[in-house]
Amino acid sequence: MTAIHQMSQSRKAAASGWIGSALEYYDFFIYATAASLIFPQIFFPSENPTVAIVASLATYGVGYVARPIGAFVLGHWGDTHGRKTVLIVCMFLMGISTMAVGILPTYQQVGILAPVLLVILRLIQGFAVAGEISGASSMILEHAPFGRRGFYASFALQGVQAGQILAAAVFLPLAAYMPNEAFNSWGWRIPFLLSFFVIVAGYIIRREVDETPAFAREGERGETPRAPIVQAIKLSWRDMLRVICMALMNVIPVVATIFGAAYAVQPAYGIGFAKDVYLWIPVLGNMLAVFVIPFVGNLSDKVGRKPPIVLGALLSGLLAFGYLYAISIKNVPLAILLSLLMWGVVYQGYNAIFPSFYPELFPTRTRVSAMAISQNIGTTITALLPALFATVAPPGSANIPLTVGAIAFGITVIAALAAITARETYRVSIDDLGNPEAVPMARADYERQRAEAASGAAAIPT
């Protein structure tokens, strides 16, 4: 492989991961928005509004239930059939299921069949998204230039943030400016039907990327596993456990955008922030993260993966106290500022690094399976946190910022400890990743070869 071809494939892989993640998470999050704004009225009986809201939000949670199942199936597919193949499968599953939501009949039209179909499609969405980040991260990592794995892999997460911005940019103006009757009748369907472009654009981009050299070498040596999940658990269970613990860092966006918003907005808590103010926190946080993520990814190629993750985990956990306190004293500007600092900036010390760090902990033959399963288990656990927070800090209770902040900080300490006990990976050759006994390249040699690869003077495997 020539240096020029390798660099071209590196960039195509990064673009594929960015756009694929953006489009798939666009699909995932327009569902979340619709579950709050419109689905209670059109898919569930409206005689009891509270039951309708709970049922609608429950269908959103169903997507997380399906994630571990998708991780097992799609992780196996990615390790046995290739990274490129599994990403195309994920894209088609997500795109088609999201388009189908846009053409579903309502409860008034077909009765109970409407919510049943909605739940089935949500299960498919959650199943599909479980393979996206692990597959995209592995593909970008295995195509990345020498010494730039952290920077290139971070684009997969930058795409996730961009997808959420795109979802808000499409859905919120429709909800705000269309007449209610038109929006409730057909306007809400537009963002879902636009997923047609997910399938077309994603396929065009992803078909241009070659299968990764690392996976191809495994195939040439006849080392493609028949049961990668079994091998992953048998050989890498300690690192899988570490990833589960680090993935609990999803507690920070939960605090920022789910419990924090409920605490600030719901009348029962008595704070009284305006709802439209809190609609902007995810948008502004994601916009900030888009700029921060590649910077942090590049930094990790210089100082290592562990320092940004540990620092990001502990500092964002501490900022949770300040953010919730700002809400409790009804200081809107301070609450928004601290939420953006906690989630949009400091949390990215973890968020920008895990797409390179997680797959680097595992060998090529089980990489997608091990990352997908462990990351999705950790993320699914955090989906239970809003209910836990509401239980231990219900409306009317005292010291809500201290109680919820202490739980959030405790979880970030667990994540930081998991990272501290992991081995550093940024100077390990790609063929030695996943080997606990691998010796990192000497820093001077690493910096020299990294500079050569960056200048295009050498085509060195990552």
Side-chain angles (χ1 to χ4, degrees):
M1 180 182 292
T2 66
I4 294 174
H5 180 71
Q6 180 178 343
M7 184 59 68
S8 172
Q9 283 296 308
S10 298
R11 290 169 179 164
K12 286 179 180 178
S16 166
W18 190 98
I19 294 175
S21 296
L23 293 174
E24 291 213 25
Y25 276 82
Y26 163 82
D27 286 350
F28 203 71
F29 282 96
I30 59 171
Y31 190 103
T33 307
S36 299
L37 293 179
I38 189 68
F39 286 176
Q41 290 78 39
I42 63 172
F43 283 112
F44 299 93
S46 58
E47 289 79 9
N48 187 330
T50 300
V51 171
I53 292 169
V54 170
S56 178
L57 293 177
T59 64
Y60 174 70
V62 163
Y64 284 91
V65 173
R67 281 189 176 202
I69 302 169
F72 276 90
V73 176
L74 296 171
H76 174 90
W77 192 284
D79 283 326
T80 55
H81 293 80
R83 291 35 169 152
K84 177 177 177 176
T85 304
V86 77
L87 288 175
I88 291 174
V89 169
C90 290
M91 178 196 65
F92 274 102
L93 284 173
M94 178 62 81
I96 292 170
S97 61
T98 305
M99 280 181 63
V101 172
I103 59 174
L104 277 182
T106 65
Y107 184 86
Q108 286 71 27
Q109 292 170 324
V110 297
I112 194 67
L113 182 61
V116 169
L117 291 173
L118 187 66
V119 168
I120 291 171
L121 293 174
R122 183 59 178 171
L123 284 167
I124 296 172
Q125 276 194 329
F127 180 92
V129 83
E132 173 62 33
I133 291 299
S134 55
S137 299
S138 296
M139 185 172 72
I140 297 172
L141 184 91
E142 292 170 6
H143 270 302
F146 185 84
R148 305 297 307 280
R149 294 193 302 240
F151 174 70
Y152 273 76
S154 72
F155 282 93
L157 254 291
Q158 192 191 47
V160 170
Q161 316 303 134
Q164 296 177 57
I165 295 169
L166 184 61
V170 170
F171 220 115
L172 294 182
L174 287 173
Y177 296 113
M178 279 189 78
N180 280 340
E181 186 176 342
F183 180 74
N184 292 344
S185 174
W186 57 269
W188 68 270
R189 299 179 184 272
I190 294 173
F192 290 91
L193 295 176
L194 287 175
S195 290
F196 172 76
F197 297 102
V198 172
I199 302 171
V200 175
Y203 178 71
I204 289 172
I205 291 160
R206 288 188 163 169
R207 72 178 181 179
E208 295 297 320
V209 184
D210 295 340
E211 188 51 79
T212 70
F215 182 81
R217 288 195 293 271
E218 292 284 317
E220 290 168 2
R221 293 194 293 258
E223 296 177 358
T224 304
R226 291 184 178 181
I229 296 167
V230 175
Q231 285 195 26
I233 295 172
K234 183 178 179 180
L235 300 176
S236 305
W237 66 268
R238 293 179 181 82
D239 286 318
M240 291 179 71
L241 184 60
R242 289 186 177 98
V243 170
I244 291 172
C245 292
M246 285 188 279
L248 297 176
M249 276 300 297
N250 196 52
V251 65
I252 295 301
V254 167
V255 167
T257 64
I258 300 177
F259 179 79
Y263 181 36
V265 169
Q266 291 298 322
Y269 280 105
I271 304 296
F273 283 13
K275 289 184 180 180
D276 58 351
V277 170
Y278 261 76
L279 282 175
W280 282 100
I281 282 186
V283 178
L284 294 174
N286 285 320
M287 289 174 68
L288 196 54
V290 162
F291 293 100
V292 173
I293 283 172
F295 171 80
V296 178
N298 187 56
L299 180 66
S300 76
D301 286 325
K302 299 177 181 178
V303 303
R305 314 290 188 232
K306 293 167 63 173
I309 286 184
V310 173
L311 198 62
L314 296 177
L315 288 182
S316 59
L318 287 172
L319 283 167
F321 288 104
Y323 167 61
L324 295 169
Y325 174 73
I327 294 175
S328 73
I329 62 173
K330 304 182 181 182
N331 190 325
V332 176
L334 182 60
I336 292 176
L337 176 65
L338 287 175
S339 110
L340 295 180
L341 182 61
M342 173 183 70
W343 178 37
V345 179
V346 178
Y347 172 70
Q348 303 311 318
Y350 158 79
N351 203 38
I353 306 304
F354 86 75
S356 55
F357 192 43
Y358 288 1
E360 285 177 337
L361 291 172
F362 305 111
T364 302
R365 63 185 178 276
T366 61
R367 180 165 293 136
V368 181
S369 297
M371 177 180 172
I373 292 166
S374 46
Q375 187 214 351
N376 280 289
I377 288 174
T379 303
T380 301
I381 291 171
T382 65
L384 306 174
L385 290 175
L388 173 64
F389 291 154
T391 301
V392 300
S397 60
N399 300 318
I400 289 176
L402 187 61
T403 303
V404 176
I407 295 173
F409 181 64
I411 291 171
T412 62
V413 168
I414 291 172
L417 289 173
I420 289 169
T421 62
R423 59 192 176 277
E424 187 55 85
T425 55
Y426 77 115
R427 287 187 282 123
V428 176
S429 165
I430 195 157
D431 288 330
D432 290 329
L433 291 176
N435 176 9
E437 307 301 323
V439 178
M441 182 179 292
R443 183 177 295 274
D445 292 337
Y446 171 80
E447 293 295 345
R448 175 180 55 79
Q449 293 189 25
R450 182 172 180 266
E452 289 174 353
S455 67
I460 304 172
T462 56

